[in-house]
Amino acid sequence: NIEKKMGLKGSATCEMTFGETKPAVGYLVGNVHDGIAQMFNVIEHARMAIGMKSMSQLSCAYLNSLDYAKTRTQGADLPKAHDKTSPRVAIIEHPDVKRMLMLLKSYSEGMRAFGLWTANLRDLVDVEKAKKTDEATKKAHLLEKMQDLSLPLVKGFFSEKVYDLLSISLQVFGGSGYCKDYPIEQYIRDQKIDTLYEGTTQIQAQDLIFRKILRDKGEVMKVVLGGLEERLAKGMSVDTLKGDVELIQKGYAHFQKMTLALQEKIGENLYHAGLQGNRYLYAFSTMMISSFLVEHAAIASEKMKTAKGDDAHFYRGKVESMRFFAREIMPEMKRDLEVISNSSLHIMDVPTECF
């Protein structure tokens, strides 16, 4: 009917032009000069959504990889590899596959906890504002600032790290993962855009450093790190976890020195923020994730005392995620400290013609 009224036939296209016969009218949404504020409100919601979408994609990839590793039989157990009579085993029994799966598991669980913690801050803001008292309003403002600081971490780190981790997920599948028989190849293609729109990772890093840390001289950051320290303290209160939590605390000490080193470097030249911003954002995010894994492990350790069957395995899995992260990921903090402390501007002096 529409095609007949418009005189169209078949699959003809129709273009709509505003202002062709009379001036188009634009209506102001909100007050004058509110546009930027409205835009940032939309972007903040979008960045949160992108981070959680990235985390969800990683979780789904991990579960697919886990299922495949449990059912795919290939080769003998490594110590018996030269024994032709030894039985073939599921690939989850091979050391490197276990390592890859635990890498996916620990990041999935840590990112989920960090993301939900960040999202909950927004809920707490609304709760405090509803009280309509001066004290509650002040608390709501602080909670809002804490979420603002977390957003570039959730969006920037989650999107970047998940893209890398999806290649690990595909590796579990071997060559089969490259085919459309399994979903991982599509996950990788779909994931890359998350590092780009709503602000590239470098934009997130500059937002974190300049607008979320330096602008208020790190006051909100101190509150966020205070919560991190409380979570690490919970882990230290559990005797069986102390050794691993100490490794994370050592990484935290490196991170604190890294923060001071970057601040000093930025004081010398703003180029350092551009050169080392992403590295710092990754380190901050990694520290936050490690603290939530510690909190999980502390709770799980208590639950394991009475848990049985699948519950017992579930809770031990939480402990093992933290232990793996402490031993395999936290040493990166020392490397990042060294890189940032020795940050050089020599690359900025390289002529364009040399590239």
Side-chain angles (χ1 to χ4, degrees):
N1 292 334
I2 294 176
E3 288 182 348
K4 289 180 180 179
K5 291 180 180 179
M6 298 182 67
L8 300 177
K9 295 181 179 180
S11 59
T13 59
C14 176
E15 294 183 359
M16 182 179 293
T17 303
F18 292 100
E20 184 177 15
T21 58
K22 59 182 180 179
V25 178
Y27 293 93
L28 181 66
V29 178
N31 297 320
V32 177
H33 305 308
D34 277 357
I36 290 295
Q38 292 178 45
M39 180 199 70
F40 273 109
N41 184 49
V42 172
I43 285 179
E44 285 175 1
H45 283 81
R47 287 176 177 175
M48 186 70 207
I50 290 168
M52 296 305 283
K53 176 263 183 184
S54 296
M55 175 278 295
S56 300
Q57 190 131 286
L58 171 61
S59 181
C60 192
Y62 162 62
L63 293 175
N64 275 276
S65 300
L66 177 62
D67 181 67
Y68 183 82
K70 287 180 176 179
T71 56
R72 173 74 168 108
T73 301
Q74 179 67 49
D77 191 18
L78 189 59
K80 302 176 182 178
H82 294 295
D83 182 1
K84 295 183 179 180
T85 64
S86 62
R88 308 297 94 174
V89 299
I91 62 173
I92 196 172
E93 300 301 327
H94 299 317
D96 194 50
V97 175
K98 280 185 177 290
R99 179 192 65 81
M100 290 189 288
L101 289 173
M102 190 57 76
L103 187 67
L104 299 173
K105 171 180 165 63
S106 60
Y107 270 110
S108 294
E109 294 174 352
M111 286 182 181
R112 183 182 299 113
F114 183 21
L116 292 175
W117 176 83
T118 303
N120 187 54
L121 289 174
R122 172 53 56 183
D123 294 334
L124 294 176
V125 168
D126 294 337
V127 169
E128 293 301 323
K129 284 184 176 179
K131 296 178 181 178
K132 297 181 179 180
T133 65
D134 292 341
E135 184 179 350
T137 299
K138 184 178 180 180
K139 185 176 180 180
H141 181 69
L142 175 60
L143 291 166
E144 205 161 24
K145 290 293 183 181
M146 290 170 64
Q147 192 202 31
D148 286 345
L149 184 143
S150 298
L151 282 175
L153 304 178
V154 170
K155 193 281 180 186
F157 182 74
F158 285 22
S159 62
E160 284 281 358
K161 193 62 182 180
V162 168
Y163 184 66
D164 294 339
L165 291 169
L166 288 177
S167 68
I168 300 296
S169 174
L170 187 145
Q171 193 76 17
V172 174
F173 285 83
S176 298
Y178 211 70
C179 304
K180 291 187 176 180
D181 304 65
Y182 300 96
I184 310 302
E185 57 85 25
Q186 181 181 346
Y187 292 171
I188 293 177
R189 287 185 283 113
D190 291 347
Q191 177 58 30
K192 184 56 193 173
I193 187 60
D194 286 356
T195 70
L196 304 174
Y197 59 18
E198 306 306 342
T200 61
T201 306
Q202 174 60 198
I203 294 298
Q204 304 300 322
Q206 292 187 32
D207 178 46
L208 172 68
I209 293 169
F210 293 122
R211 296 183 65 246
K212 307 301 172 58
I213 297 177
L214 294 181
R215 178 176 289 183
D216 72 347
K217 299 181 180 180
E219 289 302 315
V220 174
M221 182 182 180
K222 291 176 184 176
V223 177
V224 171
L225 292 181
L228 180 151
E229 292 168 3
E230 289 178 5
R231 290 188 286 275
L232 296 186
K234 289 180 182 178
M236 285 298 293
S237 67
V238 182
D239 290 339
T240 56
L241 302 180
K242 281 185 177 180
D244 298 294
V245 179
E246 284 175 351
L247 295 176
I248 294 178
Q249 287 185 322
K250 185 181 294 186
Y252 181 48
H254 290 320
F255 173 73
Q256 290 175 307
K257 292 178 182 178
M258 190 191 311
T259 301
L260 296 175
L262 182 60
Q263 184 176 355
E264 183 177 336
K265 288 289 184 178
I266 291 174
E268 297 173 4
N269 195 306
L270 290 181
Y271 278 146
H272 288 292
L275 291 171
Q276 304 300 338
N278 286 17
R279 185 181 299 276
Y280 183 75
L281 181 145
Y282 299 163
F284 196 163
S285 303
T286 301
M287 279 310 315
M288 292 296 289
I289 286 170
S290 71
S291 71
F292 287 109
L293 291 178
V294 169
E295 185 175 42
H296 285 186
I299 296 171
S301 294
E302 184 64 28
K303 295 287 187 179
M304 285 171 63
K305 295 177 181 178
T306 56
K308 297 179 181 180
D310 290 341
D311 285 347
H313 296 311
F314 172 81
Y315 290 125
R316 181 178 174 182
K318 294 295 184 182
V319 173
E320 298 301 338
S321 290
M322 184 277 289
R323 284 181 169 157
F324 176 87
F325 208 84
R327 300 173 188 184
E328 297 283 332
I329 306 302
M330 294 314 295
E332 296 176 2
M333 291 295 159
K334 183 178 181 180
R335 175 206 64 192
D336 291 340
L337 170 60
E338 292 180 357
V339 173
I340 290 178
S341 296
N342 297 306
S343 181
S344 168
L345 300 181
H346 74 277
I347 194 172
M348 300 307 298
D349 296 326
V350 179
T352 302
E353 293 76 13
C354 293
F355 285 88

